[in-house]
Amino acid sequence: MSKEYDVYIDGKYYPKKEAKISVFDHGFLYGDGVFEGIRAYEGCVFKLNEHIDRLYESAKSIELIIPLSKEDFKKAILETLKRNNLKDAYIRVVISRGIGTLGLNPTLCPKASIIIITDYLEPLYEGKNATAIIASTSRNSVTALNPMIKSLNYLNNILARIEANKAGVNEAIMLNQNGTICEGTGDNIFIVKAGIIITPPSAAAILLGITRQVVIDLAKDESLKIVERSITVHELNNADEAFFTGTAAEIAPLVNVDGRVIGNGEPGPITRILIENFKKIRKCGIPIYS
Ligand code: PXG
């Protein structure tokens, strides 16, 4: 049975049932805000600094002032985890524009709200493989809503996710405006071809995933060849291996896309090495209980 963990809202803690925000909050009215999804493993928060840096960058891009310093923000996350006695956790941080008028002008919202939700999260794919479709919904163009901003406006991804649900697969792969591979709805994508690991570059209109960077670093540590370049659907269909990366998904082998088997339909050797090495380093983070 899931436990009812306390939720942090603007410096105070509330039991889950009482953790509420106003219907006049622009995060609710317009999806005006930013968020982060972070994990803690064995009492340590994984890549906390990187997630906080990305959160503040997303906020800066939408001219949202977070009313807390980065250091105090990290302390608030650790405090929330401590209060809830969590060691292995999913941490959802939300910064919403705050209460405003019935009009989308953000300057009429005097103060942003900070929400920190912590919960236990089962590993999504550990020991399992992912299946996907190529979504007909393409990823937002960088000149529309830049995917580098981890905004509360996830309808683009949700539309693709609905396609995946209807197709009975785990994920939807979204293409960018050029028709090349972009990312999943909540994860980045990699392929392996002839021993070379390939992932789309930031210019492909992706969220620059923290796990994506961890995998790039792990590959370099293993002296594996890795390149950031555009990937076509043809290349994905003909890849030897493919996998998703994300805070929720971790490293998930991708074995079937649109009913086509990738490689031999099993997690490939390079994917397996990366998963094993990821498991070794994921507990090396910022300690919650020092
Ligand atoms: N692309 C997109 C569009 C994402 O939303 C990633 C890639 C992977 O990024 P990280 O930094 O996690 O490696 C994401 C991450 C949630 C949830 O609750 C969403 C994400 C991560 C964790 C939880 O929906 N998205």
Side-chain angles (χ1 to χ4, degrees):
M1 205 175 74
S2 84
K3 209 177 155 287
E4 306 266 297
Y5 297 105
D6 284 355
V7 176
Y8 171 108
I9 306 177
D10 296 329
K12 294 195 184 115
Y13 291 97
Y14 299 86
K16 186 173 174 178
K17 283 195 184 68
E18 286 157 39
K20 293 173 183 169
I21 59 152
S22 165
V23 294
F24 295 97
D25 190 303
H26 279 209
F28 173 71
L29 286 175
Y30 298 110
D32 184 355
V34 293
F35 79 102
E36 272 300 321
I38 313 169
R39 267 193 200 254
Y41 296 96
E42 299 179 38
C44 293
V45 184
F46 188 57
K47 299 287 169 193
L48 180 58
N49 292 328
E50 288 79 355
H51 280 283
I52 293 298
D53 286 346
R54 187 172 67 184
L55 179 73
Y56 278 72
E57 284 190 6
S58 292
K60 187 166 186 199
S61 282
I62 67 161
E63 291 269 305
L64 178 64
I65 294 164
I66 302 178
L68 214 53
S69 70
K70 282 189 186 180
E71 280 317 303
D72 286 343
F73 209 118
K74 288 179 223 171
K75 277 187 203 150
I77 290 175
L78 297 174
E79 275 306 315
T80 310
L81 289 163
K82 259 188 227 160
R83 187 184 175 96
N84 289 320
N85 216 7
L86 280 159
K87 284 197 178 121
D88 293 278
Y90 173 57
I91 304 146
R92 160 58 71 89
V93 171
V94 179
I95 317 292
S96 73
R97 184 73 69 177
I99 295 169
T101 56
L102 289 177
L104 54 82
N105 188 351
T107 57
L108 299 177
C109 305
K111 193 163 181 251
S113 264
I114 299 175
I115 296 149
I116 304 169
I117 305 168
T118 57
D119 206 342
Y120 177 73
L121 180 69
E122 289 286 337
L124 280 190
Y125 288 103
E126 207 156 286
K128 295 184 206 143
N129 301 329
T131 56
I133 51 154
I134 308 275
S136 65
T137 308
S138 59
R139 194 73 172 101
N140 286 319
S141 128
V142 286
T143 55
L145 176 55
N146 192 331
M148 284 230 222
I149 304 169
K150 201 160 165 55
S151 85
L152 293 186
N153 208 308
Y154 251 49
L155 202 47
N156 178 227
N157 305 44
I158 290 166
L159 287 172
R161 182 66 225 209
I162 290 168
E163 292 184 47
N165 291 349
K166 287 193 186 297
V169 296
N170 305 114
E171 233 324 3
I173 298 163
M174 305 177 81
L175 306 180
N176 59 29
Q177 305 296 311
N178 302 325
T180 63
I181 306 265
C182 195
E183 59 184 340
T185 64
D187 22 61
N188 294 111
I189 189 165
F190 289 71
I191 64 166
V192 180
K193 184 72 176 177
I196 300 173
I197 308 168
I198 312 162
T199 195
S202 59
I206 58 167
L207 179 80
L208 277 180
I210 310 284
T211 323
R212 171 185 180 276
Q213 189 57 47
V214 169
V215 164
I216 291 172
D217 295 342
L218 286 175
K220 287 181 180 161
D221 291 347
E222 282 287 332
S223 302
L224 296 166
K225 280 190 201 132
I226 182 147
V227 288
E228 292 175 60
R229 68 152 174 85
S230 291
I231 301 171
T232 62
V233 174
H234 176 81
E235 287 179 300
L236 173 60
N237 288 339
N238 290 287
D240 299 328
E241 303 178 33
F243 56 89
F244 289 118
T245 65
T247 298
E250 302 179 304
I251 302 175
L254 171 60
V255 298
N256 191 298
V257 179
D258 281 338
R260 295 165 201 260
V261 175
I262 305 292
N264 65 1
E266 296 289 333
I270 290 180
T271 308
R272 284 178 198 272
I273 292 170
L274 293 168
I275 291 173
E276 282 318 305
N277 290 354
F278 180 78
K279 279 190 197 157
K280 285 182 204 151
I281 59 144
R282 68 185 180 184
K283 56 183 177 290
C284 308
I286 309 252
I288 305 165
Y289 308 92
S290 44

PDB file of all heavy atoms in Angstrom, residues 26 50 64 107 120 172 268 275:
ATOM      1  N   HIS A  26      -1.435  30.011 -12.224  1.00  0.00           N
ATOM      2  CA  HIS A  26      -1.243  29.926 -13.674  1.00  0.00           C
ATOM      3  C   HIS A  26      -0.589  28.615 -14.120  1.00  0.00           C
ATOM      4  O   HIS A  26      -0.632  28.281 -15.303  1.00  0.00           O
ATOM      5  CB  HIS A  26      -0.460  31.144 -14.173  1.00  0.00           C
ATOM      6  CG  HIS A  26      -1.316  32.357 -14.346  1.00  0.00           C
ATOM      7  ND1 HIS A  26      -1.052  33.334 -15.269  1.00  0.00           N
ATOM      8  CD2 HIS A  26      -2.467  32.732 -13.713  1.00  0.00           C
ATOM      9  CE1 HIS A  26      -1.989  34.268 -15.206  1.00  0.00           C
ATOM     10  NE2 HIS A  26      -2.849  33.929 -14.263  1.00  0.00           N
ATOM     11  N   GLU A  50      22.823  18.828 -11.006  1.00  0.00           N
ATOM     12  CA  GLU A  50      22.484  18.933 -12.436  1.00  0.00           C
ATOM     13  C   GLU A  50      20.983  19.221 -12.623  1.00  0.00           C
ATOM     14  O   GLU A  50      20.596  20.022 -13.474  1.00  0.00           O
ATOM     15  CB  GLU A  50      22.865  17.639 -13.165  1.00  0.00           C
ATOM     16  CG  GLU A  50      24.353  17.422 -13.341  1.00  0.00           C
ATOM     17  CD  GLU A  50      25.089  16.909 -12.095  1.00  0.00           C
ATOM     18  OE1 GLU A  50      24.475  16.802 -11.015  1.00  0.00           O
ATOM     19  OE2 GLU A  50      26.299  16.620 -12.219  1.00  0.00           O
ATOM     20  N   LEU A  64      10.809  33.228 -15.111  1.00  0.00           N
ATOM     21  CA  LEU A  64      10.160  32.846 -13.855  1.00  0.00           C
ATOM     22  C   LEU A  64      11.214  32.919 -12.753  1.00  0.00           C
ATOM     23  O   LEU A  64      12.244  32.242 -12.833  1.00  0.00           O
ATOM     24  CB  LEU A  64       9.612  31.420 -13.989  1.00  0.00           C
ATOM     25  CG  LEU A  64       8.935  30.789 -12.782  1.00  0.00           C
ATOM     26  CD1 LEU A  64       7.679  31.555 -12.401  1.00  0.00           C
ATOM     27  CD2 LEU A  64       8.545  29.344 -13.115  1.00  0.00           C
ATOM     28  N   THR A 107       3.119  38.718 -15.644  1.00  0.00           N
ATOM     29  CA  THR A 107       3.582  39.780 -14.735  1.00  0.00           C
ATOM     30  C   THR A 107       2.519  40.106 -13.676  1.00  0.00           C
ATOM     31  O   THR A 107       2.805  40.797 -12.703  1.00  0.00           O
ATOM     32  CB  THR A 107       3.964  41.072 -15.490  1.00  0.00           C
ATOM     33  OG1 THR A 107       2.831  41.491 -16.237  1.00  0.00           O
ATOM     34  CG2 THR A 107       5.134  40.856 -16.425  1.00  0.00           C
ATOM     35  N   TYR A 120       7.674   6.982  -3.242  1.00  0.00           N
ATOM     36  CA  TYR A 120       8.450   5.814  -3.645  1.00  0.00           C
ATOM     37  C   TYR A 120       8.091   5.516  -5.103  1.00  0.00           C
ATOM     38  O   TYR A 120       6.939   5.656  -5.502  1.00  0.00           O
ATOM     39  CB  TYR A 120       8.129   4.610  -2.744  1.00  0.00           C
ATOM     40  CG  TYR A 120       8.883   3.392  -3.208  1.00  0.00           C
ATOM     41  CD1 TYR A 120      10.254   3.298  -2.999  1.00  0.00           C
ATOM     42  CD2 TYR A 120       8.234   2.387  -3.907  1.00  0.00           C
ATOM     43  CE1 TYR A 120      10.967   2.216  -3.474  1.00  0.00           C
ATOM     44  CE2 TYR A 120       8.945   1.299  -4.377  1.00  0.00           C
ATOM     45  CZ  TYR A 120      10.309   1.218  -4.169  1.00  0.00           C
ATOM     46  OH  TYR A 120      11.006   0.161  -4.661  1.00  0.00           O
ATOM     47  N   ALA A 172       6.276   6.304 -27.025  1.00  0.00           N
ATOM     48  CA  ALA A 172       6.137   6.862 -28.372  1.00  0.00           C
ATOM     49  C   ALA A 172       7.411   7.642 -28.672  1.00  0.00           C
ATOM     50  O   ALA A 172       7.872   8.420 -27.835  1.00  0.00           O
ATOM     51  CB  ALA A 172       4.930   7.783 -28.425  1.00  0.00           C
ATOM     52  N   GLY A 268      21.063  -5.568 -26.249  1.00  0.00           N
ATOM     53  CA  GLY A 268      22.359  -5.864 -26.858  1.00  0.00           C
ATOM     54  C   GLY A 268      23.498  -5.754 -25.860  1.00  0.00           C
ATOM     55  O   GLY A 268      23.312  -5.264 -24.738  1.00  0.00           O
ATOM     56  N   ILE A 275      23.880  -0.543 -18.675  1.00  0.00           N
ATOM     57  CA  ILE A 275      22.935  -0.769 -17.565  1.00  0.00           C
ATOM     58  C   ILE A 275      23.704  -1.197 -16.312  1.00  0.00           C
ATOM     59  O   ILE A 275      23.465  -0.675 -15.216  1.00  0.00           O
ATOM     60  CB  ILE A 275      21.856  -1.823 -17.949  1.00  0.00           C
ATOM     61  CG1 ILE A 275      20.915  -1.251 -19.005  1.00  0.00           C
ATOM     62  CG2 ILE A 275      21.069  -2.276 -16.710  1.00  0.00           C
ATOM     63  CD1 ILE A 275      19.906  -2.241 -19.595  1.00  0.00           C
TER      64      ILE A 275
END
